[in-house]
């Protein structure tokens, strides 16, 4: 069993989310998908008809929106003002708008404090939690005992994203997926506040040539101190 925090960061398409959920299930731990929180915030912004690059208007929407993410790894649910939007937050429209929304410092402040509250609750209850994001090891929980930064080549990430999209019934081509993934990673890595980057003490794990089972096994080894 895990009784602390595992911080998992990296760009999209590295197998991070799937491996994080499996790891949490195996360890009987909680799972916090911080990307889902930024996605719910973005969906609220789009539904309000607000321009995602209008920081002031974005903050106003996010302030009045209730964003809840369930921490059960077997049933990850994202709620916007109490309504399940787990499917709606995965559209290409949200993919396009999420980077500008999550680059706004006040949006990050609001969500990071909510993330820290959820993490503290899990740890206080004696359980552990696997936290999946971009800035978990650098900003949200800089004292996490285990930080892993997942990477993968751009082609592999695009292939995985495209396969996920098709499995979920969304139209997708490799070229579109590649452009979308690269654009978002570039924006996330170059923003001023909490850019996507590995913490100095993170373990780097290149998943390009690994299956999801292998990524999960590697993470389990690291948690058990065998890595
Ligand atoms: O993990 P996922 O791809 O669902 O994340 C969606 C977006 O949310 C990322 O591209 C990034 O812009 C933002 N994000 C973030 N910080 C996190 C998690 C996600 O800025 N901790």
């Amino acid at each position: 069993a895990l009784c602390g925090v595992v911080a998992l960061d990296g760009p999209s398409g590295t197998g991070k989310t799937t491996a994080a959920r499996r790891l949490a299930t195996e360890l009987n731990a909680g799972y916090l998908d911080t990307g889902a929180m930024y996605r719910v915030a973005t969906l609220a912004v789009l539904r309000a008809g607000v321009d995602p690059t209008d920081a002031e208007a974005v903050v106003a929407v996010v302030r009045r929106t209730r964003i809840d993410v369930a921490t059960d790894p077997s049933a990850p649910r994202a709620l916007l003002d109490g309504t399940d939007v787990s499917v709606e937050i995965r559209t290409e429209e949200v993919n396009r708008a999420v980077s500008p929304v999550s680059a706004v410092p006040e949006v990050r402040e609001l969500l990071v404090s909510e993330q820290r509250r959820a993490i503290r609750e899990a740890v206080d209850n004696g359980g552990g939690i696997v936290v999946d994001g971009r800035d978990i090891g650098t900003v949200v929980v800089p004292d996490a005992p285990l930080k892993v930064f997942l990477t993968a080549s751009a082609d592999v990430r695009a292939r995985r994203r495209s396969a996920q999209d098709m499995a979920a019934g969304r139209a997708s081509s490799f070229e579109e997926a590649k452009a979308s993934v690269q654009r978002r990673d570039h924006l996330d890595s170059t923003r001023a506040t909490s850019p996507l980057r590995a913490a100095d003490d993170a373990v780097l794990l290149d998943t390009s040539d690994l299956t999801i089972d292998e990524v999960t096994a590697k993470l389990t080894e690291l948690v058990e101190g065998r890595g």
Side-chain angles (χ1 to χ4, degrees), residues 58-202:
V58 163
V59 173
V61 172
V62 176
R63 269 192 205 291
R64 61 171 191 257
T65 303
R66 221 180 77 220
I67 298 170
D68 296 300
V69 170
T71 53
D72 174 357
S74 64
R77 287 194 314 145
L79 309 179
L80 192 167
D81 289 334
T83 302
D84 192 328
V85 291
S86 307
V87 173
E88 291 87 340
I89 60 171
R90 305 283 162 195
T91 62
E92 187 52 32
E93 203 190 0
V94 171
N95 286 346
R96 266 198 305 273
V98 70
S99 293
V101 169
S102 58
V104 179
E106 293 90 335
V107 168
R108 304 201 69 81
E109 259 167 52
L110 290 166
L111 297 195
V112 166
S113 68
E114 189 55 33
Q115 290 157 16
R116 288 185 179 143
R117 196 197 52 71
I119 293 165
R120 205 174 318 118
E121 190 178 287
V123 172
D124 287 350
N125 286 339
I129 189 159
V130 179
V131 188
D132 165 355
R134 301 289 187 288
D135 62 338
I136 310 306
T138 51
V139 174
V140 180
V141 202
D143 59 351
L146 177 62
K147 305 174 185 178
V148 185
F149 193 86
L150 279 70
T151 60
S153 73
D155 275 20
V156 166
R157 294 191 291 113
R159 218 179 305 132
R160 287 176 181 157
R161 175 46 52 102
S162 178
Q164 268 172 11
D165 284 345
M166 288 195 286
R170 290 184 295 267
S172 178
S173 76
F174 173 79
E175 287 309 325
E176 275 164 11
K178 188 167 177 177
S180 168
V181 155
Q182 282 186 316
R183 184 180 156 279
R184 192 144 58 86
D185 293 340
H186 175 73
L187 291 171
D188 292 345
S189 309
T190 54
R191 70 182 173 218
T193 308
S194 311
L196 166 65
R197 69 169 183 85
D200 293 335
D201 54 349

Side-chain angles (χ1 to χ4, degrees), residues 1-2 23 26-27 146 217-227:
L2 176 71
L23 180 71
E26 247 176 46
L27 299 172
L146 177 62
K218 183 72 200 169
L219 293 175
T220 307
E221 279 177 23
L222 288 168
V223 168
E224 291 174 351
R226 292 183 287 125

